[in-house]
Amino acid sequence: MNIILFDGNAYEHLKPFTFTRPVGEIRVGILTIAEKYTKRNCSVSYHTQDYLSVKYPLKINEVNIVVNASVCPTDAFVDALSGLKPGQGITFHGSVIAACLTADQVKTDLESVVNETTEFKDPLTKIERLWHIFQHNGVELENDYELITKGRTSKTLSNTNKIIGDRIFVEDGVWAECAVFNTTTGPIYLGKDATVMEGVLVRGALAVGEHSQLNMGAKIYGPTTLGPYCKVGGEVNNSVLFGYSNKGHEGFLGNSVLGEWCNIGADTNNSNLKNNYDEVKLWNYAVGSFERTGLQFCGLFMGDHSKCGINTMFNTGTVVGVSANIFGSGFPRNFIPSFSWGGAQGMTNYKLEKALETASRVMARRKKELDAVETDILTRVYELTKEYR
């Protein structure tokens, strides 16, 4: 089945993460949204922004299943998609979220080409706002855990570890010693070649991606996800790191989302609760202002390639753009534009050439290259975000 994930309205609302990726590449649970389809034997491509399409191409067949990329699939939803015929669609809460289209219909509005719809009545997760990523991480981690582990046998951990409950799955190459895993509050998934050092305390749910590492004494409260090649220490609560990002030292990260290639300096903390316990408002690029989240707990959202220095303090509900560099005393503002350099004392423009040099060095440490495609994406984001600096 040829699935085309189209960004839709969620693309604007999910910036800064969607500055550098389609909506379907958002990670929530163990997998990205796209991986949730491929794990169910679907072929996936993307109808996304032109400047992202080189890295994330669109594949059009004679007959295609076009799906709103904000929808996290279930087995039942994929079954419903497989039964669609050209011109038929699926609605969820009254809105068309999927349709079977011919090649010449793929780039048209779904509502205008669908002539027969069926309402999907089972539960579905939709990721349409930044906070949905951590808010729905528990449900999606549970769903992904069942999907990935079904019919498989876990590797065993050393008996120096303490495991409470039995909902833990260990892939090949995992190294863990003298750690405590409490699975009674949610499943724990340890990806291939992951490392869990001595003294780590985990309350599930937790996903640790391949080659990721929990440093000595880390305290992890679920539902939390570390994508591949992350290093995490200190205290983390209900947060998602997409991949290749580090929060390696002491400090608190809660109700937060970090993109790729981020680095959190030692003893950095984010607030996830206002002093007056009021509802948190969050910057939304789509409306150009702060919007209500309906949440009392809401932390930090940091776009790809952004960094902060030691002892950085982030206010409740802070949004940091792509490739920002934050440092210094005090609390910086709770919306930091992409390619900003500075902190509470003021911000200046982070020159594109310097930002690209840093990105290249950081990626090389993980044996990745800042190639022409990645450079073009970051250059385009730099141009797109000038108005905010």
Side-chain angles (χ1 to χ4, degrees):
M1 186 161 47
N2 184 46
I3 302 287
I4 296 174
L5 298 178
F6 75 94
D7 282 349
N9 293 333
Y11 168 78
E12 294 291 340
H13 293 285
L14 291 171
K15 290 177 178 178
F17 302 120
T18 49
F19 274 130
T20 50
R21 60 176 57 75
V23 173
E25 286 293 302
I26 296 287
R27 186 178 301 278
V28 55
I30 301 173
L31 306 168
T32 66
I33 295 173
E35 287 170 343
K36 298 174 194 292
Y37 286 95
T38 58
K39 287 288 185 180
R40 292 177 168 89
N41 299 314
C42 298
S43 173
V44 174
S45 66
Y46 307 87
H47 184 193
T48 187
Q49 314 307 302
D50 287 343
Y51 74 93
L52 295 174
S53 62
V54 175
K55 183 176 180 180
Y56 303 100
L58 172 63
K59 177 186 175 184
I60 301 176
N61 288 352
E62 186 176 338
V63 177
N64 310 273
I65 304 297
V66 180
V67 185
N68 187 314
S70 68
V71 175
C72 297
T74 60
D75 289 347
F77 183 64
V78 171
D79 285 344
L81 294 177
S82 67
L84 291 176
K85 293 180 172 52
Q88 294 180 334
I90 294 174
T91 59
F92 184 66
H93 296 166
S95 298
V96 179
I97 58 170
C100 182
L101 304 179
T102 58
D104 59 341
Q105 295 174 321
V106 163
K107 295 187 178 182
T108 58
D109 179 65
L110 292 190
E111 301 275 358
S112 66
V113 292
V114 171
N115 51 46
E116 179 186 346
T117 62
T118 302
E119 176 75 5
F120 190 79
K121 297 181 179 179
D122 290 350
L124 280 176
T125 300
K126 292 185 75 180
I127 306 300
E128 299 178 294
R129 292 293 191 275
L130 293 177
W131 61 89
H132 290 171
I133 300 171
F134 73 75
Q135 187 180 43
H136 299 316
N137 197 50
V139 170
E140 286 306 303
L141 207 156
E142 184 78 39
N143 291 343
D144 289 348
Y145 182 87
E146 293 297 327
L147 175 66
I148 290 173
T149 65
K150 185 177 181 179
R152 300 176 61 212
T153 301
S154 170
K155 302 298 180 182
T156 58
L157 291 180
S158 160
N159 60 13
T160 66
N161 297 286
K162 173 66 175 178
I163 301 173
I164 305 168
D166 59 3
R167 301 196 67 205
I168 186 168
F169 195 91
V170 182
E171 299 283 7
D172 287 335
V174 170
W175 188 97
E177 298 289 348
C178 299
V180 177
F181 301 96
N182 182 355
T183 74
T184 64
T185 51
I188 295 174
Y189 174 82
L190 303 180
K192 183 180 178 181
D193 296 322
T195 296
V196 182
M197 294 184 177
E198 307 91 304
V200 169
L201 304 174
V202 175
R203 287 178 62 87
L206 171 68
V208 181
E210 62 177 290
H211 292 278
S212 281
Q213 175 177 299
L214 290 175
N215 291 343
M216 287 196 299
K219 300 178 287 294
I220 312 297
Y221 299 84
T224 286
T225 293
L226 314 181
Y229 292 88
C230 293
K231 292 183 180 180
V232 169
E235 183 179 358
V236 178
N237 176 36
N238 187 198
S239 295
V240 176
L241 283 68
F242 285 2
Y244 298 92
S245 288
N246 293 341
K247 182 216 166 294
H249 306 286
E250 294 301 317
F252 174 73
L253 183 73
N255 302 103
S256 297
V257 183
L258 305 183
E260 294 185 338
W261 308 109
C262 298
N263 189 69
I264 303 294
D267 291 318
T268 289
N269 295 280
N270 81 273
S271 168
N272 63 342
L273 174 67
K274 299 178 74 170
N275 285 351
N276 61 2
Y277 288 63
D278 201 1
E279 177 186 0
V280 179
K281 294 180 181 180
L282 202 65
W283 176 262
N284 185 322
Y285 286 89
V287 298
S289 63
F290 292 86
E291 70 170 340
R292 294 182 177 275
T293 65
L295 301 177
Q296 195 174 64
F297 290 90
C298 187
L300 169 68
F301 301 85
M302 180 178 280
D304 290 7
H305 292 283
S306 285
K307 316 280 190 290
C308 67
I310 62 170
N311 296 311
T312 304
M313 307 294 284
F314 288 107
N315 270 307
T316 319
T318 293
V319 175
V320 179
V322 174
S323 200
N325 199 308
I326 305 133
F327 52 88
S329 61
F331 287 84
R333 57 186 292 201
N334 53 2
F335 168 52
I336 299 172
S338 298
F339 295 92
S340 294
W341 177 281
Q345 310 309 313
M347 291 281 182
T348 188
N349 185 58
Y350 189 5
K351 293 182 179 179
L352 178 61
E353 316 84 71
K354 296 295 184 183
L356 293 176
E357 287 175 11
T358 300
S360 179
R361 285 193 292 268
V362 169
M363 293 178 70
R365 296 178 70 232
R366 294 285 191 274
K367 295 180 170 53
K368 297 286 186 178
E369 180 188 1
L370 183 71
D371 59 17
V373 172
E374 297 287 350
T375 298
D376 286 347
I377 290 174
L378 289 176
T379 301
R380 180 62 173 152
V381 175
Y382 183 83
E383 295 297 326
L384 287 171
T385 57
K386 274 185 177 179
E387 64 180 291
Y388 301 106
R389 293 192 292 278

